[in-house]
Amino acid sequence: MIKRSIFTSRTLPYLLILPQIVITLTFFYWPALQGLVRSFMLSDPFGGRTQFVWFDNFTALFTNPLYLKSIVTTCLFSALVATLSITIGLFIATMANRALKAKAVIRTLLIWPYAVAPAISGILWLFLLHPSYGVVSYAIKTWLGIDWNPVLKGSDALFMVVMASAWKQISYNFVFFVAGLQAIPTSLIEAAAIDGASPFRRFWTITVPLLSPTLFFVTVMNIIYSFFDTFGVIHTMTQGGPGGATNILVYKVYQDGFIGLNLGSSSAQSVVLMTLIITITVLQFKYVERKVQYVG
Amino acid sequence: MTEKTPVLDALTYVFLMAGILIVGFPIIYAVIAATLPIEEVTRVPMPLIPGDQFLVNIKAAWINGNLGRNLFNSFIMAVGITTGKIVVSLFGAFSIVYFDYRLRTVAFVSVFCTLMLPVEVRILPTYEMAANLLGPFQSLWEMLRLDGVARWVAGHDIEISLEWSLLDSYAGLIMPLVASATCTFLFRQFFLTIPEELCEAAKMDGASAMTFFRKILLPLSKTNIAALVVIEFVYGWNQYLWPLLITTNPKMMTAVIGLQHIIPAADDLPFWNIGLAGALIVMLPPVLVVLLMQRWFVKGLVEKEK
């Protein structure tokens, strides 16, 4: 889309867009292309010869049990983080929307975790869930009688990184749900109330359906967040351990490529992740477009 | 108005309090831990009454974690990314919306597609690019066998080694993160809502494109810019993977990464009081920015993602 009334200049528009284009070419497209090319290459680690090997890197990847395990871990991790943070975020937002007084104060008290870095969220929860000193782990051990040890037990470690990642995301979801709830016309709710629908019934039959676009959007953003932005959480809390129990895909790319210097495999993993995020983005835009047409 | 439901209203506030407490608990607990001496912090369960060691712990964290230097680096990085992103996107969106040129659509689509290439999916090649910005030219040189041509022209061997590294520099921390599809998109959407009459009037009064940009578009974009300042400052301050990759020199370390050195590992003495004091200091700047600019932040966050 463009304005009806525009300026004419031969060079100015190019000059204006130039910085953006230079940066995207150098730091986005060229590296992405390099990664793509390299995912079809086999190079020896001393930087000598490279050889074109077609899809060998990908075949190796998808027959590697460690990689398959990482896929399962990532999906489980992502599902848990999204479910937990969306449920809590929606619940608190619904309550905050009901609260007649002190809305501003409530919002202030709830949005600041958005500003906490994932890595710092990891540090806070590392202490809370520390096997010997943590207060939450103390509660788990004494009240639930579970032998809590995230350093040794994979499932405990996964739970730990899920808690740290979901906690940070609650406020993000809260902001969107509050905005979504406020956009729902009160007349609809009032009409249903006059017809005698209980508050819970109104929530399920009016609020939730009208909130579904927000819900969809927030779900997509939470999945992207848990796939890509939780690197800091993993790095500070578990470094992918114990035994790969928290080694999500993004962390594995870093480990194999940057620490292990396995260029071919790391590039192939990057390409897999790229395909994934392209799919998610395209799906999201398709959905948004449909919604716009529906409304207009 | 809907019906009055005193029980449900009371429950609402109870649940809200519980929610706020759950969300705030990790911080409250960290603050208490940061005020205790090490013997108290390692007691199980840790006492919930604050101690008097807060300043001692803060000081220890400041010194052990080299926080002065690290916070300065983080500040430069966050401000650099914020300013860079906003300036680059404003110009980009202005170019796309207010000019018609042959490569307009190509430019827009190419900027927009960067949305699908977060740094996490191109770790190694981006690192290599930053390690030597002139790498592509070097490989082009070698690929085209230009050294042979050069030898023929000059009559003797010419050794060409092009190198320009961004490792361990502020430019390296900032530049790769400055391109932003979302900011450009947001400004584009906003510019499209600005009435045509403004531009026509400006043109009639003989304003040049840049005058129109400076005197009309920029003042109108104020709230959008304020919102993006909050979001991008938080984004820049909290960067983790990229600074981890490209800085090895301790002098260039950012605050969030530096915390790793004061958090007790398995075999260390459990100085959690000091580690958490450090964590609190490092999270303070972005939290303050979000709280102080809350109004713009909420508006910006919701609009940015639309």
Side-chain angles (χ1 to χ4, degrees):
Chain A
M1 256 201 285
I2 189 166
K3 289 279 186 182
R4 248 186 312 114
S5 159
I6 53 170
F7 293 97
T8 42
S9 166
R10 197 175 286 272
T11 48
L12 191 59
Y14 290 101
L15 277 179
L16 286 169
I17 196 97
L18 191 70
Q20 187 94 289
I21 297 294
V22 168
I23 290 168
T24 46
L25 281 182
T26 18
F27 294 110
F28 287 74
Y29 289 110
W30 176 263
L33 189 73
Q34 284 270 302
L36 192 63
V37 169
R38 216 177 276 157
S39 67
F40 295 104
M41 302 280 204
L42 188 68
S43 56
D44 69 278
F46 302 104
R49 294 168 307 140
T50 48
Q51 199 188 344
F52 191 74
V53 291
W54 287 106
F55 290 95
D56 281 10
N57 287 324
F58 293 95
T59 326
L61 205 56
F62 285 107
T63 49
N64 182 350
L66 284 178
Y67 193 68
L68 297 177
K69 188 185 169 193
S70 178
I71 294 179
V72 175
T73 308
T74 314
C75 293
L76 187 63
F77 171 74
S78 181
L80 287 173
V81 170
T83 317
L84 203 61
S85 60
I86 288 177
T87 319
I88 299 177
L90 179 59
F91 183 73
I92 301 180
T94 320
M95 293 297 140
N97 200 45
R98 276 189 59 86
L100 304 171
K101 289 167 203 153
K103 263 188 190 165
V105 179
I106 290 164
R107 196 178 69 178
T108 309
L109 287 171
L110 284 168
I111 64 166
W112 58 268
Y114 171 85
V116 177
I120 294 183
S121 169
I123 291 171
L124 298 176
W125 283 93
L126 197 59
F127 178 58
L128 289 172
L129 290 168
H130 193 283
S132 7
Y133 313 118
V135 67
V136 177
S137 56
Y138 174 79
I140 293 174
K141 277 190 275 195
T142 45
W143 295 345
L144 301 178
I146 293 169
D147 179 26
W148 172 260
N149 195 341
V151 181
L152 297 175
K153 282 203 291 187
S155 54
D156 291 2
L158 188 65
F159 177 75
M160 187 165 81
V161 289
V162 166
M163 288 302 283
S165 311
W167 174 75
K168 192 211 129 43
Q169 197 65 0
I170 290 174
S171 49
Y172 178 90
N173 299 344
F174 169 80
V175 169
F176 278 93
F177 286 134
V178 167
L181 285 170
Q182 275 168 356
I184 294 175
T186 37
S187 54
L188 284 179
I189 312 250
E190 280 161 17
I194 290 167
D195 288 347
S198 72
F200 295 103
R201 178 112 191 257
R202 295 201 295 264
F203 179 75
W204 284 113
T205 54
I206 298 174
T207 312
V208 171
L210 285 177
L211 206 60
S212 64
T214 314
L215 207 57
F216 173 79
F217 169 80
V218 168
T219 308
V220 171
M221 294 317 282
N222 275 270
I223 290 171
I224 293 178
Y225 161 80
S226 56
F227 264 77
F228 298 100
D229 297 339
T230 47
F231 180 89
V233 175
I234 307 286
H235 194 73
T236 42
M237 293 185 103
T238 62
Q239 282 96 46
T246 55
N247 204 355
I248 60 171
L249 292 170
V250 166
Y251 202 74
K252 200 165 160 50
V253 177
Y254 165 78
Q255 271 196 332
D256 291 355
F258 208 73
I259 310 288
L261 292 179
N262 188 346
L263 302 184
S265 173
S266 162
S267 305
Q269 291 183 35
S270 290
V271 171
V272 172
L273 284 179
M274 245 185 265
T275 321
L276 191 77
I277 194 157
I278 289 173
T279 318
I280 295 176
T281 318
V282 169
L283 277 181
Q284 187 189 353
F285 274 92
K286 267 205 159 145
Y287 181 83
V288 169
E289 213 134 89
R290 227 182 29 229
K291 193 184 78 190
V292 170
Q293 277 172 358
Y294 174 68
V295 171
Chain B
M1 272 303 292
T2 50
E3 78 275 33
K4 285 207 166 25
T5 45
V7 182
L8 210 59
D9 285 348
L11 265 181
T12 301
Y13 282 103
V14 169
F15 281 133
L16 266 179
M17 291 318 280
I20 291 171
L21 214 65
I22 290 171
V23 170
F25 182 69
I27 295 292
I28 300 168
Y29 203 69
V31 171
I32 296 172
T35 63
L36 296 172
I38 183 165
E39 311 86 65
E40 297 276 296
V41 142
T42 51
R43 229 168 63 197
V44 183
M46 189 186 94
L48 283 173
I49 301 141
D52 55 358
Q53 299 291 300
F54 189 60
L55 290 177
V56 180
N57 291 334
I58 292 279
K59 199 177 162 202
W62 190 276
I63 293 165
N64 297 351
N66 192 18
L67 282 184
R69 177 80 205 182
N70 293 355
L71 287 170
F72 176 76
N73 291 339
S74 278
F75 187 75
I76 299 274
M77 179 174 73
V79 171
I81 290 176
T82 311
T83 327
K85 269 196 176 202
I86 292 175
V87 170
V88 162
S89 313
L90 268 171
F91 283 150
F94 180 50
S95 164
I96 289 165
V97 174
Y98 279 99
F99 292 91
D100 193 13
Y101 49 101
R102 200 176 303 149
L103 297 175
R104 199 176 67 91
T105 320
V106 179
F108 180 60
V109 170
S110 78
V111 169
F112 193 69
C113 284
T114 57
L115 206 61
M116 305 179 202
L117 296 169
V119 86
E120 284 80 3
V121 308
R122 50 189 168 81
I123 296 176
L124 217 55
T126 316
Y127 171 80
E128 281 167 9
M129 191 69 203
N132 184 9
L133 266 184
L134 301 174
F137 297 105
Q138 176 94 47
S139 46
L140 199 69
W141 176 268
E142 275 155 22
M143 208 172 71
L144 296 176
R145 306 251 173 261
L146 285 179
D147 46 345
V149 181
R151 192 188 311 132
W152 182 71
V153 172
H156 55 84
D157 273 348
I158 296 176
E159 192 73 22
I160 293 275
S161 110
L162 300 163
E163 211 175 309
W164 181 14
S165 169
L166 291 179
L167 300 186
D168 282 319
S169 72
Y170 290 123
L173 280 172
I174 294 167
M175 267 177 29
L177 301 173
V178 155
S180 171
T182 41
C183 293
T184 313
F185 200 63
L186 180 85
F187 283 126
R188 173 184 172 266
Q189 297 297 80
F190 174 68
F191 289 167
L192 286 174
T193 64
I194 290 176
E196 303 273 358
E197 288 78 10
L198 280 179
C199 181
E200 278 160 18
K203 269 171 40 179
M204 211 171 282
D205 288 344
S208 70
M210 286 322 282
T211 317
F212 172 72
F213 178 74
R214 213 176 50 238
K215 296 222 164 134
I216 295 176
L217 276 190
L218 220 46
L220 284 174
S221 313
K222 252 191 231 153
T223 40
N224 282 302
I225 294 176
L228 284 179
V229 163
V230 188
I231 293 168
E232 302 306 343
F233 183 84
V234 171
Y235 167 84
W237 187 275
N238 291 348
Q239 277 303 311
Y240 197 86
L241 179 59
W242 185 243
L244 183 72
L245 295 184
I246 77 152
T247 57
T248 45
N249 183 348
K251 281 195 173 140
M252 291 303 295
M253 194 176 280
T254 63
V256 179
I257 304 251
L259 280 177
Q260 197 73 356
H261 298 283
I262 50 170
I263 294 304
D267 307 330
D268 299 343
L269 280 175
F271 280 112
W272 275 100
N273 47 349
I274 295 173
L276 290 169
L280 289 175
I281 301 175
V282 174
M283 76 166 82
L284 197 61
V287 168
L288 277 183
V289 168
V290 163
L291 289 183
L292 294 178
M293 298 178 72
Q294 202 185 126
R295 197 155 55 87
W296 296 285
F297 161 68
V298 172
K299 181 181 175 294
L301 190 65
V302 175
E303 265 173 28
K304 184 182 174 186
E305 310 284 10
K306 257 183 200 164

